[in-house]
Amino acid sequence: MKIYDAIIIGGGHNGLVTAGYLQRAGLETVVVEKNPWVGGAATSRELTPGFLYSNCSYVCSLFRPEIMRDLELPKHGLQIISYEGGAVFTRDGDYLASYRDHDAHRREFARYSARDAESYERYARDVTRQCRFIQPLLMRTAPDPFSFKPRDIGELLYLAKKFGEFSPAEMASTLRFWTMSISDFLEEYFETDVIKAYLALSGIIGTALGPMSPGTAYVLLHHYMGEVDGSVGAWGYARGGMGAVTKALASSFQAAGGVIRTGAEVDKVIVEGGRAVGVALANGDEVRARMVVSNADVKRTFLKLVEPKELPEPFLHRVKHFKMRGSSGKVNIALDSLPEFPALPEGSQCIRGDMHFTDSIARMERAYDDWKAGRWSADPFLDMMIPTTLDPTMAPVGKHFMSCFVQYCPPKVEGRDWTDADRDAFAETVVRQISDYSPGFRERIVHMEVRTPREIEQEVGLTEGNIFQGELTFDQLLFNRPVPGYAQYRSPIQGLYICGSSTHPGGGVMGAPGRNAAAEILRDLDKSRSHMSAAHDVL
């Protein structure tokens, strides 16, 4: 039987990033993926003739440029097309446009409030300061604050130095920011409901918290730290859908000699003498290696793939109480023509970006109230996009693909499992909301794919349908992610590592967890990391 150097469980983007770095370091690596395709939550699939859907993740910005360079992803076909802006539609028939250009953005705010336009300068400055503090930490292994190892002490000193660059007032603001709700944070700058609603959306996406919940201000940062072609904070579409990201990663890995096995669902991790030595597949096959790296979330890895007897009880207790709490659904729609939004001026570029219909924080909070009661939101928050306005490869000529990310959508409906009837009723709330702002929308629909947390968990393997593999709350960040004492991509079992978004720095199509895990594995093996670019500051 062939023995590989490393097995990667799961062909999602972080698993492929880890695999790419390990293979380029000379380790014979195999990726085992349960689906007939790779990609995890970053996939593009043709579910109706001629239309390519970005099934789960739908927009690109967070993916680290260092990884794109190291693994030569543009050479393997990856192209990101940035979009310029978007819009929030208001109930009175108006809209708030958003633009990537700072001055244009500010002028649009002035259309609603001169005071808010002035405050936007202060807001942008203060948020950028927080991003500058956090961003360098994304591509660094979180220190163990209870370790006396020189490297951990060095990382703690690095954190202290970064924090020490603030003035006393900025230190106090930073500590407040990390624990504030996005609603309270925005209240200190703005007076206009629709402006606050527009800025609050980045604090709730993918999170089982409402805009008035403490900790949501940090989630805002998580969505602000990306870049496209060196443009900080920009967002864009991957040409060919989000599957183009993982397609390029897979191509890069295979070009370096790596092996991918699809249709290879892992049943359990084989542990012998306290060490991971391979995986047993659901079909009865075994794959052996000198180490195993799991891209599955922390609960799936340690509660389903590893025998409980192999793990210490305190560790298991922590894993069981790691918060997942899925809160999102996805509706993908094929359209026979471009929908019309009468509120927008003819030819407006806003239709090329992200569009929303929730024009106040109060409406967002009421949508969250439904989730707390175990129901999908009757008046949901939609992050709606039409990628085919910039990427015509995803639909036939003249037709369009629409992506709708939906908050809030509970992992169970009033304590019971989802049914197909529930799924259809959930989709109807989405179609009805769009139709209120786009006459004739319903008649344009050719096909729909509806994903509740049930479908997301079954296909992608994300526990409870949580898109970040665990909530991004302060108690689950840095050295607490996923478990204190095991926040450096290692586990209690020798030779078993984790590289998914349950680890630092968290979720989104970022690649940083996969890259950081590879760095720690190569450090343990005393292998060169010269092919891994150091993180650079872009802010």
Side-chain angles (χ1 to χ4, degrees), residues 182-420:
I182 189 62
S183 176
D184 287 343
F185 179 65
L186 294 172
E187 198 69 35
E188 297 188 356
Y189 298 87
F190 305 106
E191 62 183 4
T192 309
D193 282 346
V194 67
I195 290 175
K196 288 186 284 187
Y198 161 69
L199 294 169
L201 65 94
S202 292
I204 65 161
I205 284 183
T207 302
L209 297 170
M212 298 180 184
S213 303
T216 45
Y218 169 78
V219 182
L220 169 101
L221 282 192
H222 200 74
H223 292 93
Y224 271 29
M225 291 184 286
E227 62 173 300
V228 175
D229 288 338
S231 181
V232 179
W235 289 81
Y237 304 125
R239 184 175 175 85
M242 286 300 289
V245 176
T246 44
K247 183 178 178 181
L249 284 167
S251 176
S252 172
F253 170 59
Q254 290 173 314
V259 176
I260 296 176
R261 289 184 59 174
T262 55
E265 182 177 0
V266 173
D267 183 57
K268 72 172 184 176
V269 175
I270 301 170
V271 179
E272 295 176 354
R275 184 175 188 85
V277 296
V279 295
L281 303 182
N283 65 6
D285 291 349
E286 288 188 3
V287 185
R288 293 273 176 161
R290 294 175 179 85
M291 73 179 70
V292 177
V293 187
S294 177
N295 186 38
D297 66 60
V298 65
K299 287 199 172 186
R300 190 165 293 268
T301 298
F302 296 109
L303 302 182
K304 293 188 175 182
L305 301 183
V306 176
E307 296 282 350
K309 66 180 181 180
E310 304 293 348
L311 298 164
E313 181 54 38
F315 177 84
L316 277 174
H317 177 80
R318 287 280 195 173
V319 170
K320 287 174 184 176
H321 290 87
F322 184 78
K323 290 183 299 186
M324 291 292 185
R325 305 198 309 175
S327 62
S328 313
K330 184 84 191 295
V331 179
N332 298 310
I333 307 174
L335 299 167
D336 67 4
S337 60
L338 187 66
E340 297 173 355
F341 295 93
L344 293 179
E346 187 175 350
S348 171
Q349 68 184 35
C350 294
I351 201 169
R352 298 179 176 181
D354 52 333
M355 293 175 281
H356 316 105
F357 307 106
T358 305
D359 58 359
S360 72
I361 284 180
R363 283 180 68 188
M364 274 187 199
E365 189 69 20
R366 286 195 293 272
Y368 178 54
D369 289 341
D370 286 339
W371 181 91
K372 287 186 289 185
R375 303 185 298 267
W376 61 87
S377 300
D379 178 25
F381 165 76
L382 301 188
D383 191 22
M384 183 185 75
M385 299 183 173
I386 309 175
T388 41
T389 55
L390 288 173
D391 177 13
T393 68
M394 299 182 72
V397 175
K399 302 184 186 303
H400 288 274
F401 159 64
M402 174 183 282
S403 163
C404 298
F405 179 87
V406 190
Q407 295 272 116
Y408 292 84
C409 191
K412 289 189 179 291
V413 179
E414 297 178 335
R416 60 173 173 78
D417 291 338
W418 280 82
T419 66
D420 290 350

